[in-house]
Amino acid sequence: MTLSAGALAPPSRLPQPSDPAIGSEWVVAGYTGPVAAYAAGTWPLAPLVDNPSAARQIIHWNKFPAGMREEFRLLAWTMINDGLSNGFLHGRGAGWRSRMGSSAVYATVLRWRRLAVWLHQRGLTTLAGITPQLLVEHVAGVRGRGLTRGDVSGVLTSLTRLWAFDQVSPAPIGVCEPPWEQEGADDYLPAATSAGENATDPVTEQTMGPLLIWAMRMVDDFAGDILTAWSERQRLRSAALSQKASSDSRTALRAYLDDIAAENRPVPSVFIKGEFCLAQAYIAGTTGASLAQLQHAARGWGWGARVKENPGPCPLASPVTGKIDSRPWRTAIDYSEAATLMRHLGTACFIVIAYLTGMRPGEVLGLRTGCCPAPEDGGRHLIRGHVYKTARDEMGNHLSSGQLREVPWVAIAPVVHAIRVLERFVPDGQLLFDHKAHDLMARPGVGSLNAETMGQRIEDFIVWANGEAIRLERPGETIPPDHHGSVSAVRFRRTLAWHIARRPGGLVALAVQYGHMRTAISAGYAARSRDGIHDLLDVETARATIDTVADLQAGLEAGEGLSGPAARRAINAAAHAPQFVGSLLTARQARNVMSNPDLAVYDNPNAMLMCVYKADKALCRREGTKSAPSLDRCVSTCANIARTDQQADQLRQRADELERKALHVPHTLAQRLLTISTRLREAAEQHHLTRITLKESDQ
């Protein structure tokens, strides 16, 4: 819910548990809550949150020193219910808002609690006793913990808010003005460090390639089998819970178990708490027996001991149609693994949607069924959903409920399929990642899964996929560890932009798809919006350009040569190399780099050449794509081509590979490979004959 300033008239003091209540509830900080919860000294902030993937925080006031507890509670109440004035906000940074979202409120109160404990340790019992010198000492202690500049800045802002809200409080305490309000904050902050989305490491291509392959395989090839198996598991479990014991069910159970014993087959089992146990629900659902009869069979008939000696699978009767290279991926899905596969299927859907749209994790987790309807005019599929990080009201204050994104996201086919799979998880109108639907352990929770949970599930999915790769004898499809750390949900957005901008050779099979995605995103966003993923694309494209030009410059200075019709233009670009290498770029800096015609140099590792782009010379140019080349449509006779010594060496290496392959394939294909090999060697030789160096270009 969004509170207005007049939602609750500021009281002369905070309500106390002994005060009269309205029924069993009373108004606390602008919303109603149980008397018992307030009496216990807690303020649940959940009613202030409408973002389905956001954490539901609780303020525990009993952790504040008793002497200052009520003072801080009054100031927190004021912060939630009474915004800062426009006069106070005038001249401050864009990050200042009259009101904050619940997560910012919670973080502010936690910083106040650390201050309260620190003051209590120094014998203070009231905020009126704070002096500017004490605030300086407190901040010095915070800096001493090695926090980043952003973290320390958050502490300064929270202490400023403590003073500011005391000014508008119904019962001012007399909190002193922080000294940085007059002196500026810079002297109180550590040196700047990189932060934000642009500092997030992209997932390496060696990891992202097989991860995306397994996620798409799960969604495209295995989803039907998993969903059908889950329905069958739920049917067996429901039957087991509802069936009553009878003589007929006892006879059926005895016959089922006697048949297993007669053929000495493994006993259907589940692994619980480190040991194999009789699969009671599975057998009960299969035979029609009751769970009580299965418990008797385990203890009285000795099957509890027998299952430990010869445990076996619990294959479900649901069909398996998914294949890998024409081979079934399973002979059957086991009762005990159906829940695990459902969990991994949901994770795979998240990976596909988050990575192939560029949405933030919270935006993906906030999607609902029906968000991606079939296009009426046969055009592109569009996803309509809410944004939360950038949601603001007309006054610039954060909206916890988010805002419907004015420009919908573009959905390519794998994303649409993932959404359709998720729509089979949940009822109409519900969140695609609803906590109740995806947490099959039925643990308490509201809203959707959160980004932290998805991060752990992604790591679990990688472990599972690697196990499948080994089981299916496909070691080349294992997902190697990423040297930047765990593959968290927040990294997909940056990774998409990185790969679209660079399309490295390690992902040749996906390079064309990335080209389609650049076109789709440009068509869907460019005419109407410059924010979000578009800014990241600009930054990554500019970084790729800078890296290419910097590598070219270093090679030329080391004596390398260039060939091709655009060789002299490439050398000229190297002479204008910007000094941004290794640094973070803002979106504005990125657009300045991209608009510089002297820096329009693009590496194409798949074609083993560089494109020194000029639109009027480009053979790849299509209508509507004038600002950048289409590297997936590179033409060898184009006037924009240049080639380095290193790329000429790569031509020879590729020719060697093709000649080796030609020895092991049918004659017709071998001749084709040899023809291509000859063409590559001729291109390498032509480079050697026509190359120019940096010194020669000056002559």
Side-chain angles (χ1 to χ4, degrees), residues 320-560:
V320 173
T321 60
K323 295 181 179 181
I324 298 180
D325 291 343
S326 74
R327 292 174 50 195
W329 72 293
R330 286 278 197 288
T331 55
I333 293 179
D334 198 83
Y335 177 91
S336 61
E337 70 171 344
T340 300
L341 291 176
M342 280 289 285
R343 185 174 186 265
H344 291 322
L345 177 58
T347 304
C349 290
F350 177 87
I351 292 170
V352 169
I353 296 172
Y355 180 64
L356 294 180
T357 63
M359 291 186 191
R360 295 182 175 91
E363 294 164 356
V364 177
L365 297 171
L367 295 177
R368 295 182 178 272
T369 61
C371 65
C372 185
E376 297 180 359
D377 56 357
R380 298 185 183 278
H381 281 84
L382 300 176
I383 303 173
R384 301 190 182 277
H386 286 70
V387 292
Y388 296 95
K389 180 179 179 179
T390 58
R392 297 285 185 268
D393 63 16
E394 63 278 3
M395 300 298 294
N397 297 317
H398 181 262
L399 288 175
S400 70
S401 59
Q403 290 174 319
L404 187 66
R405 199 176 197 276
E406 181 180 354
V407 180
W409 291 277
V410 178
I412 60 175
V415 174
V416 177
H417 196 183
I419 290 173
R420 297 294 178 261
V421 169
L422 289 169
E423 287 175 335
R424 297 172 63 182
F425 273 64
V426 297
D428 289 345
Q430 297 299 307
L431 294 161
L432 292 180
F433 290 93
D434 182 79
H435 174 90
K436 294 178 181 178
H438 287 265
D439 191 337
L440 304 178
M441 300 296 291
R443 287 170 291 198
V446 296
S448 69
L449 301 175
N450 57 43
E452 290 75 18
T453 298
M454 289 310 309
Q456 182 57 57
R457 291 190 175 208
I458 292 167
E459 290 297 302
D460 294 343
F461 178 79
I462 291 173
V463 172
W464 174 84
N466 285 341
E468 288 293 292
I470 300 303
R471 183 183 69 81
L472 295 168
E473 300 179 348
R474 305 174 75 87
E477 293 183 1
T478 56
I479 305 169
D482 184 274
H483 63 262
H484 294 305
S486 61
V487 183
S488 61
V490 298
R491 295 178 64 189
F492 288 134
R493 178 178 166 86
R494 167 81 191 282
T495 305
L496 172 67
W498 194 95
H499 283 306
I500 287 179
R502 300 175 185 246
R503 289 181 289 185
L507 285 174
V508 174
L510 294 174
V512 174
Q513 183 63 69
Y514 289 133
H516 292 332
M517 290 185 64
R518 176 188 285 277
T519 301
I521 289 174
S522 295
Y525 291 86
R528 294 169 284 176
S529 174
R530 290 298 311 177
D531 63 354
I533 189 67
H534 231 306
D535 279 351
L536 274 181
L537 280 172
D538 288 347
V539 168
E540 290 305 328
T541 301
R543 280 176 167 170
T545 298
I546 290 169
D547 289 347
T548 299
V549 174
D551 290 344
L552 175 62
Q553 182 186 48
L556 289 169
E557 291 176 351
E560 287 193 8

Side-chain angles (χ1 to χ4, degrees), residues 18-69:
S18 58
D19 291 346
I22 303 173
S24 62
E25 297 186 331
W26 50 8
V27 178
V28 178
Y31 60 86
T32 58
V35 170
Y38 189 82
T42 61
W43 282 12
L45 295 177
L48 302 177
V49 182
D50 273 340
N51 182 343
S53 65
R56 268 54 179 169
Q57 306 287 8
I58 297 176
I59 298 173
H60 296 273
W61 290 108
N62 56 2
K63 295 184 179 181
F64 280 73
M68 290 178 279
R69 185 177 303 153

Side-chain angles (χ1 to χ4, degrees), residues 19 24 29 43 90 113 130 168 223 312 317 385 392 501 622 634 691:
D19 291 346
S24 62
W43 282 12
H90 180 71
R113 190 177 76 191
I130 298 180
V168 297
R392 297 285 185 268
R622 301 183 224 177
C634 203
R691 66 189 288 273

